[in-house]
Amino acid sequence: MSGIPPISVRSPLKTLLKTPNWAALIPLSVLQMNNADSRVELPMRMKPYPDRDGKRVWLSKRELQMLIDDINNHETLEKEIGVKLAARAGLRRKELANVKVKDLVEDEKGHPRIRVWEGVAKKEHYREPPIPHELATQIDSLARVQGLDPNDEIVSVSDRTIFRVVRRACDRLEEETNDEGWSRVDVHDLRRSWATHVLADGVLPSVVMEWGGWKNWETFRKHYLGEFSPEVLEREREKVDFLAEGDAIETEPVSHTVVPDSSANYAGD
């Protein structure tokens, strides 16, 4: 590679594209070619918990997919579904092993949802978060292959087992990417990342609260409306001329939403 200048992931994308063998110079763990705007992605972000040891982690969309792909390659379909219920539907850890085959339903337009009943985890709030069609197909396939009855749990292993599945995958990804951040990831970070991404995609906060089972507006505002995904932080950084090192990004004004009633006595995170 003599004659090729050193490349940083902070380099403007148009400079990277003009560099011979540019793709080989950037670790896959930090490279994302986004179909919408083709930006190099920042890695996961972390913040200390305010009241205990450890760190909260927000995975980027690509890192979530890396985690799912690793679990797909090393674990059973049942365990992959358990992880996806957190990463793609925002279920709490205690809820993952409590949803049944009959809880997979469709709305009037045929979009799949998963029913989360009272009595699971924080008990107070029944909800029906949407899930990807791919995940619904995997649940159907698992039920057929294993001969599950409607009242059988989709994920028969314990939530502790799902935790260990996630940790094994994160250990492999830490070794692969040399990113110590993977050592801080647990199951709840998948739910946290899910909520932050659907908010960043423009879903109304009140709808995200409904999907995720949050009823305390102050808790949700503090832990989610005040936090941002790696993609959002990168987008905002590129608005600053001396940080972007490239062309300014045209943005549209952000519409304001109605704040839910904060007087209700709601459940927490």
Side-chain angles (χ1 to χ4, degrees), residues 126-176:
Y126 169 85
R127 68 189 196 274
E128 294 183 7
I131 66 172
H133 285 275
E134 178 191 16
L135 178 53
T137 299
Q138 288 180 312
I139 293 172
D140 282 336
S141 298
L142 180 71
R144 287 197 306 271
V145 170
Q146 295 192 357
L148 300 180
D149 293 328
N151 286 315
D152 289 336
E153 282 80 13
I154 296 170
V155 179
S156 63
V157 299
S158 69
D159 64 282
R160 290 185 179 182
T161 296
I162 298 300
F163 173 82
R164 289 193 291 268
V165 167
V166 170
R167 285 303 323 142
R168 287 196 295 267
C170 289
D171 288 345
R172 290 187 292 265
L173 289 169
E174 181 181 5
E175 182 177 357
E176 175 186 334

Side-chain angles (χ1 to χ4, degrees), residues 85-98:
L85 287 171
R88 298 299 190 218
L91 268 65
R92 299 179 176 93
R93 173 174 164 175
K94 292 294 184 182
E95 295 168 339
L96 301 177
N98 285 279

Side-chain angles (χ1 to χ4, degrees), residues 11-243:
S11 301
L13 185 62
K14 58 187 179 183
T15 300
L16 295 178
L17 294 175
K18 293 178 181 178
T19 304
N21 299 322
W22 65 273
L25 304 179
I26 307 175
L28 289 178
S29 61
V30 297
L31 180 65
Q32 178 191 38
M33 297 302 294
N34 185 289
N35 292 332
D37 52 32
S38 298
R39 284 195 296 269
V40 175
E41 178 189 319
L42 293 176
M44 69 183 73
R45 59 181 295 257
M46 295 177 284
K47 288 179 69 174
Y49 281 101
D51 52 1
R52 63 182 176 90
D53 293 337
K55 286 182 171 56
R56 297 172 289 169
V57 180
W58 288 263
L59 297 175
S60 69
K61 289 183 178 180
R62 182 175 183 274
E63 288 164 335
L64 276 174
Q65 190 60 52
M66 288 171 62
L67 179 68
I68 290 170
D69 289 345
D70 182 275
I71 290 170
N72 174 269
N73 291 331
H74 294 90
E75 306 286 353
T76 65
L77 176 60
E78 179 183 11
K79 293 174 182 175
E80 179 185 348
I81 288 172
V83 172
K84 282 186 172 180
L85 287 171
R88 298 299 190 218
L91 268 65
R92 299 179 176 93
R93 173 174 164 175
K94 292 294 184 182
E95 295 168 339
L96 301 177
N98 285 279
V99 290
K100 299 179 179 180
V101 174
K102 65 181 181 182
D103 293 331
L104 176 62
V105 296
E106 292 183 348
D107 62 20
E108 62 276 7
K109 293 189 176 181
H111 299 145
R113 295 177 177 271
I114 200 77
R115 287 175 170 169
V116 183
W117 293 89
E118 304 94 331
V120 177
K122 300 205 173 182
K123 301 181 180 181
E124 295 93 344
H125 189 49
Y126 169 85
R127 68 189 196 274
E128 294 183 7
I131 66 172
H133 285 275
E134 178 191 16
L135 178 53
T137 299
Q138 288 180 312
I139 293 172
D140 282 336
S141 298
L142 180 71
R144 287 197 306 271
V145 170
Q146 295 192 357
L148 300 180
D149 293 328
N151 286 315
D152 289 336
E153 282 80 13
I154 296 170
V155 179
S156 63
V157 299
S158 69
D159 64 282
R160 290 185 179 182
T161 296
I162 298 300
F163 173 82
R164 289 193 291 268
V165 167
V166 170
R167 285 303 323 142
R168 287 196 295 267
C170 289
D171 288 345
R172 290 187 292 265
L173 289 169
E174 181 181 5
E175 182 177 357
E176 175 186 334
T177 64
N178 199 31
D179 185 347
E180 186 180 353
W182 288 107
S183 69
R184 307 303 179 99
V185 177
D186 68 19
V187 176
H188 190 73
D189 293 314
L190 308 186
R191 169 176 162 86
R192 189 194 323 280
S193 300
W194 166 83
T196 306
H197 285 305
V198 293
L199 282 167
D201 287 342
V203 178
L204 292 173
S206 55
V207 174
V208 180
M209 289 179 67
E210 172 66 24
W211 288 351
W214 292 280
K215 280 197 164 186
N216 187 293
W217 167 249
E218 290 303 320
T219 296
F220 184 77
R221 180 193 61 78
K222 178 180 178 181
H223 293 290
Y224 292 93
L225 288 186
E227 303 298 344
F228 307 97
S229 68
E231 289 89 349
V232 168
L233 292 176
E234 170 68 358
R235 183 188 69 205
E236 296 304 304
R237 186 188 70 84
E238 292 191 13
K239 294 177 182 178
V240 182
D241 289 341
F242 62 84
L243 295 176

